[in-house]
Each structure stands twice: as C-alpha cells, then as structure tokens.
Amino acid sequence: MDAVATQPRGLPLLATTETCSGRTYVVTGANTGLGFEAAKHLVALDAAKVILAVRNVAAGDIAKAKIEEATGKTGVAEVWALDLASYESVKMFANRVIAELERVDALIENAAVAMSSELKDDPLTKIDAGNVGGLKSYPLSKLLETLAVRQLASLVPLSRTGVVLNLVCPGFCITELRRNAPADFREFMAAQEAQFGRTAEDGSRTLLHGAVAGKESHGRFLDSCEIADDKVPSWVTDEEGRKWQKNLWDVMAKELETIEPGCVKKVLSE
C-alpha cells in the first residue's frame, strides 16, 4: 500500500471553461463515484452536452437531477442507457451517438465494479480465468486494458486520425466500487479509504485531465494529472510485453469483427 499511502491529494483541476465550453462529452458510469463527479464538473464548465451513459437509467436520472441542482444548469446532461456487459447495448449506444450527436470531444470510459463472484471465461479476451475470483480479476482487467490501449494507440497514429487515446489511473478513491465485494473486503477497504483515499471529486480530476491532456498524451499512461509513463513496468514495455500486447489485440480484434463485421478494419484504415 506504499503507493496509496503516498499518493497526492488535492489534485489540480486542469479542465477549464476555456477547454470545455461548447464541447460534447460522453461519460460511462456517470451515475456515481468518479464518473458522476467528472460529469458534474463538465456541466459546470459550460460543456454544451454531457451524456451520462449508465446501465441503470433510473439511477442516471437521479444523478442528472443532482448535477443540475449542484450546477444550476439544465439542458446539458442527458441520460442514455448503456450496459457494457451487453454487446447489443454497446452497439445500440454507438449507433445512437452517430445518429444524434454532431460531435464527441471526449469519451471518458470510467465504468467499473469490483465483484466477488468468480470470473467465467471472458468472451472478449478468450482468457481461461480458471479459479481467478472477481476481486483478482479486477487488477487483471486493468493490465489487459493497459495492453489494449497501448496497442490500439500504435495502430491509429494521431497524425492520421486526430484522435487522442490515453490511459488514466485515478488512484485509490473513496467510491462505491467495492459495493458488491465480500463484507470483510469492504471493511478492509473502508479503513484504507478513511486513511489514504482520495475523494471521488479529487479522483475525478484525473479523468478530466485525460479528456483535455492533448496530443502529447496519445498512447501514454496518466497518473495524478501528469503523464507518467515511467510508472509503467518494464515487463509491459519490453519486447516480451509488446508481444503479449499484440497477441491480446489480435484476439480482441477477431472477437470484435465477429460481433460487428468490418468495425476494426474500418477504424484502422480511416
């Protein structure tokens, strides 16, 4: 827990009215925790539209009302249904974005939860999880995310697409992430949060940094509102790590092409 005990708090709010005014944002998992706080900031910073992408629409409506009350701004936040555990829901959401939004200035992919049930074989990565329980699969998912983002960023250079892809670590924050974990784990985490945790609002500033970090952050790891590639371990960045990075992406691309034929080819050729 050394990294947690020494993590900085009181992070800078690098998103400003100048960087956010008139822009459109999509925030997944925006009904609670980091996503909620990030969405609230974006509304306060004069964004034109902030999509609260949530699995539970009723909870999203409550979050929207809280954001409007806190910011005094209506007509900005919108609640859209998105269940990231369902391919069909993801496709419907993506099609709605294309049909209804004139632009998307940043997508903040924040949604996550720590589960206690055992992880079944993941259809996306085809990794045999064996006896890896939900709590152990959470950090594993973060490793896979790191590898996938690094590989995708290398395949879609900023010079060709104009799209910045980066990976954000929000740090150890006080949120509802552990709500479905076993009781003893929840108690342990609560004690650690009380001593070391960032507030959800503080942690949300890392997400906002990722949304405005700019071209120099493409394909890079962000931590505590700074580019922090030095914190990525060598076994991720060395030759062996790059091999696994490519292998993972190849499996993911194959699965995505099965779900939506032509989607990967289109992204890589545009």
Side-chain angles (χ1 to χ4, degrees):
M1 298 289 287
D2 288 347
V4 169
T6 59
Q7 71 175 358
R9 276 152 279 183
L11 298 173
L13 182 58
L14 299 178
T16 64
T17 300
E18 182 179 359
T19 60
C20 300
S21 179
R23 291 172 169 79
T24 296
Y25 299 91
V26 177
V27 185
T28 68
N31 61 294
T32 188
L34 304 180
F36 170 80
E37 295 294 344
K40 183 166 65 175
H41 272 301
L42 291 169
V43 172
L45 292 170
D46 292 342
K49 192 182 295 291
V50 179
I51 305 300
L52 312 182
V54 298
R55 179 169 55 91
N56 184 329
V57 172
D61 288 335
I62 293 172
K64 175 186 173 183
K66 290 180 179 179
I67 288 172
E68 291 181 340
E69 181 180 7
T71 62
K73 297 182 179 183
T74 60
V76 178
E78 297 183 10
V79 179
W80 289 20
L82 173 62
D83 182 355
L84 291 171
S86 165
Y87 288 145
E88 287 305 311
S89 178
V90 172
K91 288 194 289 185
M92 289 176 62
F93 183 86
N95 288 333
R96 185 178 179 185
V97 167
I98 294 169
E100 298 185 24
L101 299 182
E102 294 182 1
R103 59 189 288 168
V104 174
D105 292 279
L107 165 61
I108 299 177
E109 297 187 281
N110 157 78
V113 65
M115 302 293 289
S116 59
S117 58
E118 285 197 359
L119 179 69
K120 303 300 182 183
D121 290 356
D122 189 317
L124 184 58
T125 62
K126 295 293 191 296
I127 289 177
D128 182 358
N131 294 321
V132 176
L135 295 178
K136 292 181 180 179
S137 69
Y138 182 78
L140 174 60
S141 73
K142 295 304 181 184
L143 172 60
L144 299 181
E145 182 181 15
T146 298
L147 296 174
V149 170
R150 288 173 62 86
Q151 183 66 13
L152 181 57
S154 72
L155 295 174
V156 286
L158 183 63
S159 59
R160 178 167 63 82
T161 67
V163 177
V164 173
L165 300 172
N166 53 42
L167 185 69
V168 177
C169 174
F172 184 62
C173 301
I174 305 170
T175 70
E176 297 179 22
L177 178 68
R178 54 182 166 81
R179 62 186 178 274
N180 295 320
D184 57 345
F185 182 78
R186 293 200 306 271
E187 292 174 4
F188 168 76
M189 292 297 288
Q192 296 300 311
E193 287 172 356
Q195 188 172 4
F196 304 122
R198 289 173 175 156
T199 64
E201 187 281 324
D202 201 9
S204 76
R205 297 179 177 218
T206 65
L207 306 186
L208 296 170
H209 171 235
V212 302
K215 60 184 181 181
E216 66 275 9
S217 71
H218 183 65
R220 304 182 74 179
F221 177 73
L222 311 182
D223 180 61
S224 298
C225 296
E226 297 179 345
I227 293 175
D229 277 349
D230 59 305
K231 293 186 178 180
V232 179
S234 60
W235 51 265
V236 171
T237 61
D238 63 16
E239 183 177 353
E240 184 71 9
R242 291 194 299 273
K243 182 188 77 172
W244 283 106
Q245 176 177 300
K246 182 181 183 303
N247 289 344
L248 170 65
W249 173 255
D250 288 344
V251 172
M252 290 179 64
K254 182 178 179 180
E255 181 70 10
L256 291 170
E257 282 291 317
T258 300
I259 301 160
E260 186 72 13
C263 66
V264 174
K265 183 178 180 180
K266 180 180 179 180
V267 169
L268 298 184
S269 62
E270 286 185 345

